[in-house]
Amino acid sequence: MVDHPKRKSPATYADLQALPPHLVGEILAGELIAAPRPTPAHAQAASVLGMLVGPPFHFGKGGPGGWRILDEPGLHLGSDILVPDLAGWRMERMTRMPESPFFDLAPDWVCEVLSPKTERLDRGEKLAIYLRETVPNVWLLNPASQTLEVLRLTSSGYLLLAVHTAPGAVRAEPFDAIELDLGLLFSSPADNLSE
């Protein structure tokens, strides 16, 4: 992460736009947080997960549909600006895409891909914002340990439903209508070719 000196005034959207393209910026509690683009393992886990849940849930191919699944959407939630690795909205809540360059409607599901540099932030400040905004489901995907933590919002906070470890097929809420092969998230395409 790139550290910034303490500011007297809260960071603004203009501060985010001024960041160089090799950084991902967020504003949490008025503080500008900038981090380098994800590592290849991080990017692969997020991208492959999107490819697995997209067809059955976003498009309704081989699954129930009814979702909008997006990579790295800009979320403007109160004064906080977040960029989860993946997020999904049920179609009945977001009937059409916003015309603004960001989303001010909290998602129904987010997935944060953890890295050594972002894990504290993802488990701390960002998870607290998702709780405040009542995001029903959060996934924490860890390429280093090849695990998926599945959290559900309850009246007393987030409940850890399961910790799944790759390889293996799992059903994970809210996408438990299909099995996900966790091994695909962390392996190279060549590892998955059949002989």
Side-chain angles (χ1 to χ4, degrees):
M1 292 227 192
V2 177
D3 291 321
H4 296 277
K6 290 290 180 188
R7 304 165 60 99
K8 291 185 180 185
S9 60
T12 66
Y13 189 60
D15 295 324
L16 282 180
Q17 292 177 312
L19 288 173
H22 69 281
L23 296 176
V24 177
E26 299 178 298
I27 297 175
L28 307 175
E31 183 180 351
L32 177 64
I33 308 292
R37 300 292 311 160
T39 65
H42 181 125
Q44 174 179 298
S47 296
V48 173
L49 180 58
M51 287 185 261
L52 293 175
V53 298
F57 294 96
H58 187 93
F59 296 108
K61 294 183 179 184
W67 285 81
R68 294 184 189 275
I69 309 289
L70 302 172
D71 295 335
E72 296 187 342
L75 305 178
H76 288 217
L77 305 174
S79 62
D80 298 303
I81 300 175
L82 298 87
V83 182
D85 292 290
L86 289 161
W89 290 260
R90 293 184 184 274
M91 289 256 216
E92 64 260 19
R93 286 192 59 243
M94 187 166 66
T95 56
R96 63 184 188 88
M97 295 289 282
E99 293 183 21
S100 65
F102 55 83
F103 298 84
D104 57 10
L105 177 66
D108 296 294
W109 166 79
V110 295
C111 179
E112 294 288 358
V113 180
L114 306 177
S115 70
K117 293 184 180 193
T118 65
E119 184 170 7
R120 182 192 59 75
L121 189 67
D122 292 336
R123 289 184 182 281
E125 292 93 330
K126 289 179 81 171
L127 194 59
I129 293 166
Y130 298 143
L131 177 64
R132 179 193 76 207
E133 298 295 324
T134 65
V135 175
N137 296 97
V138 175
W139 288 7
L140 301 173
L141 189 60
N142 190 330
S145 62
Q146 297 191 355
T147 57
L148 169 64
E149 296 174 50
V150 180
L151 303 147
R152 178 198 304 148
L153 181 65
T154 69
S155 59
S156 57
Y158 282 111
L159 172 68
L160 178 63
L161 296 179
V163 178
H164 300 287
T165 303
V170 302
R171 291 185 182 268
E173 185 178 298
F175 303 120
D176 48 352
I178 65 163
E179 282 191 340
L180 295 172
D181 183 348
L182 285 187
L184 295 176
L185 305 180
F186 309 113
S187 61
S188 75
D191 295 340
N192 301 310
L193 294 176
S194 48
E195 296 181 20

